[in-house]
Amino acid sequence: MTTARRTADDRRAQLVEIGLELLPTTPVQDLTIDEVARRAGISRSLLFHYFATKAEYYTAVMNAAAAVLRDHVVPRPGTPLTGQLPGMLDRFVSWVETYRDSYVAFVRGAHAGDPGIAEVYGATREELVEVALAAVPLPDGARQRQLVRSWFAFTEDLVLQWTREPTMTREELLDLVVDVLTRLTVRAEQPAAPR
């Protein structure tokens, strides 16, 4: 009995899937090409036939992980506006609780200057910012977007710290981040003070 050979796209998808399977316990920068190739049943050199560099492979894995994150966190179409932000935040906290080390590596990789990971992280963050902007009564403008981006950075950092050392209940955490956004919303609606 002969087995059908995988197409290049199938093999690439398999290799990315292996990376995704390893992410919950191994930050992307710590994935070893040898381990991925071993799990795929191919040689290390063959992996580089499908991905030109280790960085290209890591970016493909992070793109796939970010798509899974967005699918899990971003509200489904038709979700009432009032439930979008609380639901998104609750699912985001759950995600970071489950995949904390990998999420930390994602954030650090983006901030460490890895261009592929930075691009994936930026696009993911912008999608979450869009949900927050839609959920608060703010016109979409540069100032408002800047405030909501800053709020998300605060929220992300607080959630990462809380998952390491919970100093409040989950409900208190969620209430706090919503309260901070509400206060920023009020502030953003006030006219800028004259200079």
Side-chain angles (χ1 to χ4, degrees):
M1 181 168 124
T2 60
T3 57
R5 290 188 60 168
R6 290 181 181 265
T7 67
D9 287 344
D10 288 344
R11 181 64 80 183
R12 283 176 63 90
Q14 178 204 22
L15 294 168
V16 168
E17 185 64 32
I18 290 168
L20 285 176
E21 289 168 4
L22 291 168
L23 276 184
T25 57
T26 311
V28 69
Q29 292 89 341
D30 295 339
L31 291 178
T32 67
I33 296 303
D34 290 332
E35 175 62 12
V36 172
R38 185 190 68 73
R39 287 179 179 233
I42 63 173
S43 69
R44 174 188 172 93
S45 60
L46 186 56
L47 186 141
F48 287 115
H49 172 75
Y50 299 104
F51 298 95
T53 63
K54 192 189 307 190
E56 183 182 315
Y57 175 68
Y58 289 168
T59 299
V61 171
M62 291 315 301
N63 264 316
V68 173
L69 165 68
R70 289 190 303 268
D71 187 54
H72 178 76
V73 172
V74 172
R76 298 279 180 254
T79 302
L81 198 56
T82 55
Q84 288 188 8
L85 184 64
M88 180 189 84
L89 290 170
D90 186 53
R91 290 185 301 274
F92 178 72
V93 171
S94 294
W95 182 272
V96 176
E97 283 179 306
T98 305
Y99 304 108
R100 186 181 191 284
D101 291 344
S102 292
Y103 194 81
V104 168
F106 184 34
V107 174
R108 286 185 182 154
H111 294 303
D114 182 312
I117 294 177
E119 184 178 329
V120 174
Y121 174 77
T124 303
R125 185 187 63 188
E126 282 305 299
E127 193 160 346
L128 301 181
V129 165
E130 290 294 332
V131 172
L133 271 171
V136 295
L138 280 177
D140 187 4
R143 180 177 180 202
Q144 291 80 3
R145 189 170 288 272
Q146 186 178 58
L147 287 172
V148 175
R149 277 193 196 111
S150 298
W151 164 81
F152 183 76
F154 160 79
T155 298
E156 180 178 65
D157 189 59
L158 181 62
V159 170
L160 285 169
Q161 289 184 49
W162 180 82
T163 54
R164 188 183 64 232
E165 183 182 0
T167 56
M168 61 188 93
T169 68
R170 182 192 186 90
E171 185 176 300
E172 289 170 333
L173 172 73
L174 292 168
D175 287 347
L176 175 61
V177 295
V178 170
D179 183 56
V180 169
L181 182 59
T182 301
R183 289 171 186 269
L184 278 174
T185 301
V186 170
R187 182 69 179 224
E189 290 174 336
Q190 296 172 349
R195 292 185 170 220

